[in-house]
Amino acid sequence: MKFGKWLKQQIEETLPAWRDKFLSYKELKKLVRLISSAESPEYGKVDAEAEFVYLLNNEIDKFNAFFMEQEEDFIIRHRELQQGIERVIDTWGPNGTKPSQAEYNDEMAKVRKDIVDFHGEMVLLVNYSNVNYTGLGKILKKYDKWTGRLLRLPFIQKVLEQPFFVTDLVSKLVKECENTIDEVFPVEVEEEIVKVQREAIKVAGKGVFRNTVTALLSMQEIRRGSSTYGHFSLPPLDLPDSDLIHSFQLNSPIPTV
């Protein structure tokens, strides 16, 4: 599968509101072809080169603005979820102001769903960062190869300092979210959640949870160490070998060539 087709697949697998926030790979590729075309007049090439660099910088601005907006929203939502758990425990828990097992179970079920969706969206954002970084590397590699110039190294060095590339905070929130699930919800309850979610995915084939599984597979493939690992590659991603991921019959979402 060509990278452009894979990128299109990645965009289709994410949330609808995010789809115009990804790399404009097709437009950039057209400019690279124009710049490298022997039939293009020299002044046309200069204009195309300037437009290419301008578009690249605009793409980075787009990534940063979207990523930081989502990151800020995640910080607020994480705090609200923690407060929601405390409110349910303090109100309907055994030592709460209005102890009620039925109310407690109902409210916790709502919180649990919110946490699962929240966790999924954060994983999708980390994948968003990975996919766009990979796309930039691909298009810059084409540019260097087809034009004989050397733009990839200095541009990638610039990218490594951009907010959208630095996913430490989101990754920390993902881990805290997982810890909350482990601490608050019993294992047997989580197993039931997984069972219900699997059935929902079989029926609908869509939604945050399914997209999260696809994103995890994508990140594993993008970041795995291999014979093609190099200076521009992301480091291998240390993810658990989840039975949940392997339980879905999903096509491998990554072509890295």
Side-chain angles (χ1 to χ4, degrees), residues 61-84:
D61 290 343
K62 177 177 73 177
F63 301 157
N64 286 337
F66 176 72
F67 188 90
M68 289 189 293
E69 180 182 6
Q70 294 301 312
E71 194 175 56
E72 183 177 348
D73 180 60
F74 289 162
I75 292 170
I76 295 170
R77 287 171 64 187
H78 179 262
R79 183 169 60 247
E80 289 175 344
L81 282 169
Q82 296 299 319
Q83 292 172 346

Side-chain angles (χ1 to χ4, degrees), residues 88 91-95 98-109 186:
V88 172
T91 305
W92 292 288
N95 300 316
K98 302 175 182 178
S100 169
Q101 190 64 47
E103 290 286 351
Y104 179 85
N105 290 344
D106 288 345
E107 292 299 318
M108 273 302 191

Side-chain angles (χ1 to χ4, degrees), residues 16 22 26 46 53 92 94 109 158 172 186 188 193 208 213 231:
F22 282 79
K26 189 175 181 180
V46 171
V53 174
W92 292 288
K158 173 185 175 180
K172 179 183 177 183
E188 61 270 18
I193 295 170
V208 173
V213 174
H231 178 72

Side-chain angles (χ1 to χ4, degrees), residues 130-147:
N130 288 189
V131 167
N132 286 304
Y133 172 81
T134 302
L136 286 170
K138 292 288 184 182
I139 197 63
L140 286 164
K141 183 178 181 180
K142 285 186 183 296
Y143 179 89
D144 286 3
K145 180 180 178 180
W146 292 0
T147 68

